[in-house]
C-alpha cells in the first residue's frame, strides 16, 4: 500500500504535507523522471510557496532542470509539458479541498497523472536518492508567457468568428482559485461579454468553498438570470473541474456538462468515449446515437488519462465535471472543454442544448464497513450478478446495467464505507433500485 499517494497524488493538511515531505518526495520524483526536465506550478494556497520551494530544491538537488510557472491552473501546466518537451510536472495543489489542505500532484511526460500504483514506485525511491555532484545540480528558469501559448491552443479548437458574432454574456465564478489567470482573458478574446465573481486568487477562499457544488455556487445561480447572462461557469480551485449554470439560473451538474461536451464533440468527430464506471447512462445513450463505443475505467483521473493514451478516443471525462480534450492534453481541463460549449451557444441557448441530453435521476448512499466488510460486500454483489447472468462491469466495484438504469456498489478507497449509487429514469425508480440492492448485499 502506498503511504502518501492517493488516487491522484499526495494530499493532506500542512502537518502532513509539509516542506520536509515535499523535499523528500521531490528527490524521489526527480529520480523517477530520470533527473530530466520538470515543470513546477502551484495553486494560490497559503502553504503553496513554501511547498513549491521545497519541491524545487529537491528536484534541482538531484539534477533536474526546473521550469517554474509560479501560480497557474493545473490544466495549463499539464498542457505545457508537451510544448516544453518536459519529462513531467509537479503541481502543488489541493484541488477542491478546504484552504488548510495542500497536495503534490505528479504528471508524466505524456500528461498522465501518477496513480496510486505508480506513486508507490516513487515512494520506494524516497530516502534512497543521492544528490547530484556540485557541478551537476539542476538549472532553474522562470516559465515564459504560458498564458499566451495556452490561449492560442484553445482558440485553435473553436470557431472564434462564430462566437464573436453571437457575443454571449458569461458570468465567471473563479472561486478565488487559479481560474482568473486564464478565464477572463480567454473568454474576452473569444468575444464574450464577461462578468467576474471571486476573481482574486486567494488561498483563504473568502468568496466560496473551492468545490463547485450547487450549494457553494448559490451566488452565481442568482447572478446569471439577474444579469440576463447566457451562462455561468464555476471552477474548482485548480480548474480541472467545471460546472455550469444555464440562462435561467439552473445548476448544471458536472455529469451533464461532460455529456454536453461529448455530444458537441461527436457532432464534429466520431470516436470512442472514455469515462469512469460512475458516469451517467446519458453517455451510453449519446454513444449509441452516434454509433461509437464507451470505454469504462476505474474511478480516478489517472485511469482516465491512461485509457485515453491508448488512442482512438475523442473525449474523456468523469461525473464531477472533469473533461479531457485530447487536442490539448490527456489531463482534465476546465477551460478548453467549456470553450466548445460557448461556441455552441450561437446555435441554441444552454437550456435548449441540455434538452438534447437524456435526463436521469440518481440516489447515493453509504454503508459503513471496515476493509474486510467492504471486500465481502463487493464480492457478494459480483457473485449475485454472475449467478443471475446480469450485465455488469467489475473493474472498480460492481456496476450492474439494466435497460433503463444501473447501480454501482464500490468500496471507498479512503474511508470505511461501501458506496452505492443508483441511476434510473425517475428518482422513485432509482430509490427502488437502491433499496432492492441494499437488501441483497446486506441480507
Ligand atoms: Mg481539481
Amino acid at each position: 500500500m502506498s503511504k502518501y499517494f492517493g488516487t491522484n497524488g499526495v494530499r493532506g493538511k500542512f502537518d502532513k504535507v509539509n516542506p520536509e515531505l515535499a523535499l523528500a518526495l521531490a528527490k524521489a520524483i526527480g529520480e523517477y523522471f530520470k533527473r530530466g526536465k520538470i515543470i513546477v506550478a502551484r495553486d494560490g494556497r497559503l502553504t503553496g510557496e513554501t511547498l513549491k520551494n521545497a519541491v524545487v530544491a529537491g528536484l534541482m538537488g538531484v539534477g533536474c532542470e526546473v521550469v517554474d510557472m509560479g501560480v497557474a491552473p493545473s490544466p495549463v501546466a499539464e498542457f505545457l509539458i508537451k510544448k516544453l518537451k518536459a519529462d513531467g510536472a509537479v503541481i502543488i495543489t489541493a484541488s477542491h479541498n478546504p484552504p488548510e489542505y495542500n497536495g503534490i500532484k505528479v504528471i508524466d511526460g505524456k500528461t498522465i497523472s501518477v496513480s496510486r500504483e505508480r506513486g508507490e514506485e516513487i515512494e520506494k525511491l524516497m530516502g534512497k536518492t543521492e544528490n547530484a555532484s556540485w557541478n551537476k545540480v539542476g538549472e532553474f528558469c522562470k516559465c515564459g508567457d504560458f498564458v499566451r501559448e495556452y490561449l492560442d491552443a484553445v482558440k485553435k479548437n473553436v470557431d472564434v468568428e462564430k462566437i464573436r458574432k453571437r457575443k454571449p454574456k458569461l458570468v465567471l465564478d473563479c472561486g478565488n482559485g487559479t481560474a482568473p489567470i486564464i478565464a477572463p482573458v480567454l473568454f474576452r478574446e473569444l468575444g464574450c461579454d464577461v462578468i467576474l465573481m471571486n476573481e482574486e486568487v486567494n488561498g483563504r477562499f473568502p468568496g466560496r468553498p473551492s468545490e463547485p457544488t450547487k450549494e457553494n455556487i448559490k451566488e452565481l445561480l442568482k447572478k446569471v438570470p439577474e444579469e440576463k447572462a447566457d451562462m455561468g461557469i464555476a471552477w474548482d480551485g485548480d480548474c480541472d473541474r467545471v460546472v455550469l449554470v444555464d440562462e435561467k439560473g439552473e445548476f448544471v451538474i458536472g455529469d451533464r456538462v461532460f455529456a454536453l461536451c461529448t455530444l458537441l464533440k461527436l457532432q464534429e468527430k466520431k470516436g470512442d468515449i472514455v469515462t469512469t464506471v460512475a458516469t451517467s447512462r446519458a453517455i451510453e445513450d449519446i454513444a449509441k446515437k452516434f454509433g461509437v463505443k464507451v470505454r469504462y475505467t476505474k474511478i480516478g483521473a489517472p485511469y482516465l488519462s491512461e485509457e485515453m493514451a491508448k488512442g482512438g478516443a475523442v473525449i474523456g471525462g468523469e461525473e464531477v465535471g472533469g473533461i479531457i480534450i485530447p487536442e490539448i492534453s490527456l489531463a482534465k481541463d476546465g477551460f478548453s472543454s467549456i470553450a466548445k460549449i460557448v461556441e455552441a451557444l450561437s446555435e441554441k441557448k444552454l437550456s435548449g442544448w441540455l434538452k438534447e441530453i437524456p435526463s436521469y435521476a440518481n440516489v447515493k448512499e453509504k454503508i459503513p464497513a471496515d476493509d474486510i466488510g467492504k471486500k465481502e460486500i463487493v464480492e457478494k454483489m459480483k457473485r449475485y450478478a454472475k449467478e443471475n447472468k446480469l450485465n455488469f462491469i467489475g473493474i472498480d466495484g460492481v456496476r450492474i446495467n439494466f435497460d433503463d438504469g444501473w447501480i454501482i456498489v464500490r468500496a471507498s478507497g479512503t474511508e470505511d464505507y461501501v458506496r452505492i449509487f443508483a441511476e434510473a429514469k425517475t428518482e422513485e425508480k432509482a430509490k427502488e433500485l437502491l433499496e432492492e440492492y441494499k437488501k441483497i448485499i446486506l441480507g
Side-chain angles (χ1 to χ4, degrees):
M1 263 306 266
S2 58
K3 191 169 171 201
Y4 302 109
F5 276 81
T7 319
N8 195 0
V10 176
R11 207 169 285 172
K13 291 184 188 168
F14 195 57
D15 57 344
K16 290 210 180 73
V17 180
N18 53 30
E20 289 81 1
L21 176 66
L23 178 72
L25 257 176
K27 289 177 71 175
I29 294 165
E31 181 75 26
Y32 183 76
F33 287 130
K34 305 205 163 29
R35 308 184 184 223
K37 180 177 178 178
I38 310 292
I39 293 171
V40 177
R42 69 173 182 95
D43 68 17
R45 286 166 195 270
L46 303 186
T47 54
E49 189 67 22
T50 176
L51 291 174
K52 190 202 77 180
N53 285 326
V55 164
V56 170
L59 290 171
M60 289 171 67
V62 299
C64 291
E65 178 188 345
V66 169
V67 182
D68 179 20
M69 292 177 74
V71 177
S74 298
V76 183
E78 288 157 331
F79 158 78
L80 269 193
I81 293 175
K82 287 235 157 120
K83 262 272 157 278
L84 300 183
K85 297 191 176 64
D87 297 287
V90 180
I91 306 174
I92 318 301
T93 176
S95 187
H96 59 276
N97 285 112
E100 63 272 27
Y101 283 78
N102 214 331
I104 298 170
K105 188 175 157 185
V106 185
I107 304 99
D108 74 12
K110 291 185 191 155
T111 66
I112 301 171
S113 55
V114 164
S115 60
R116 188 190 295 269
E117 294 81 3
R118 290 169 80 197
E120 275 179 42
E121 292 171 43
I122 293 175
E123 287 179 19
K124 279 183 198 149
L125 299 169
M126 283 174 80
K128 292 179 194 145
T129 301
E130 297 288 325
N131 281 325
S133 63
W134 68 272
N135 55 355
K136 295 263 169 57
V137 294
E139 287 181 24
F140 175 88
C141 72
K142 291 264 180 207
C143 189
D145 188 2
F146 59 81
V147 174
R148 187 71 266 148
E149 293 265 7
Y150 178 76
L151 295 185
D152 288 346
V154 174
K155 282 161 74 182
K156 240 185 248 166
N157 280 299
V158 289
D159 187 340
V160 181
E161 278 318 303
K162 208 167 144 187
I163 302 173
R164 283 186 183 153
K165 257 187 221 154
R166 167 70 170 74
K167 209 174 178 7
K169 188 173 185 180
L170 307 177
V171 186
L172 312 181
D173 181 353
C174 299
N176 303 117
T178 48
I181 294 166
I182 295 292
V185 39
L186 171 65
F187 293 108
R188 277 181 187 132
E189 279 194 19
L190 288 175
C192 304
D193 189 359
V194 168
I195 297 166
L196 296 173
M197 290 173 72
N198 305 315
E199 70 272 29
E200 176 206 6
V201 181
N202 187 326
R204 296 180 196 274
F205 298 98
R208 65 161 168 88
S210 68
E211 182 163 24
T213 59
K214 186 176 178 181
E215 178 63 20
N216 289 347
I217 63 158
K218 296 195 288 273
E219 294 298 316
L220 178 65
L221 296 176
K222 267 194 281 172
K223 187 110 172 163
V224 173
E226 259 171 32
E227 295 283 352
K228 294 191 171 50
D230 296 289
M231 184 164 93
I233 311 173
W235 291 270
D236 78 330
D238 70 329
C239 310
D240 62 349
R241 275 172 57 183
V242 62
V243 297
L244 299 176
V245 177
D246 78 6
E247 74 283 358
K248 297 171 189 161
E250 291 292 324
F251 180 67
V252 187
I253 198 167
D255 219 344
R256 290 178 71 71
V257 178
F258 172 47
L260 177 55
C261 282
T262 303
L263 175 75
L264 297 173
K265 186 80 190 190
L266 290 174
Q267 283 179 349
E268 244 171 40
K269 189 180 175 188
K270 276 195 190 182
D272 294 350
I273 307 164
V274 171
T275 193
T276 76
V277 287
T279 300
S280 171
R281 179 60 163 265
I283 294 295
E284 196 80 57
D285 296 342
I286 294 168
K288 206 178 263 173
K289 191 175 148 199
F290 287 90
V292 302
K293 210 167 88 186
V294 181
R295 280 153 51 191
Y296 287 102
T297 72
K298 290 207 275 185
I299 294 167
Y303 308 116
L304 276 178
S305 305
E306 284 169 9
E307 187 61 35
M308 294 289 293
K310 292 178 188 164
V314 291
I315 194 164
E318 57 175 13
E319 88 286 0
V320 287
I323 299 159
I324 300 172
I325 304 294
E327 286 83 355
I328 301 293
S329 79
L330 298 180
K332 299 182 294 177
D333 182 339
F335 304 116
S336 60
S337 48
I338 300 309
K340 211 66 210 168
I341 294 181
V342 170
E343 180 194 311
L345 293 177
S346 46
E347 282 166 51
K348 232 179 272 196
K349 287 184 172 152
L350 181 58
S351 64
W353 277 112
L354 291 165
K355 281 192 192 117
E356 298 196 17
I357 309 280
S359 168
Y360 289 93
N362 52 55
V363 286
K364 285 177 192 183
E365 207 172 300
K366 37 189 194 179
I367 300 173
D370 59 11
D371 281 346
I372 299 167
K374 286 197 267 192
K375 225 177 173 178
E376 275 173 10
I377 291 174
V378 173
E379 280 309 315
K380 195 169 181 183
M381 180 85 168
K382 204 173 262 178
R383 269 201 311 277
Y384 180 84
K386 274 186 192 157
E387 280 163 11
N388 292 280
K389 298 197 168 53
L390 298 171
N391 168 7
F392 78 97
I393 307 170
I395 47 176
D396 190 354
V398 183
R399 168 170 167 153
I400 304 180
N401 291 312
F402 307 99
D403 286 341
D404 52 358
W406 56 276
I407 187 159
I408 188 168
V409 174
R410 66 183 285 272
S412 163
T414 48
E415 292 170 289
D416 285 339
Y417 287 112
V418 166
R419 298 182 193 281
I420 313 182
F421 186 100
E423 190 183 75
K425 272 285 170 200
T426 63
E427 195 172 326
E428 216 184 322
K429 280 197 173 163
K431 272 187 191 151
E432 268 174 38
L433 194 60
L434 191 128
E435 287 306 320
E436 185 191 335
Y437 274 82
K438 239 171 77 184
K439 267 186 210 147
I440 293 166
I441 54 177
L442 296 176

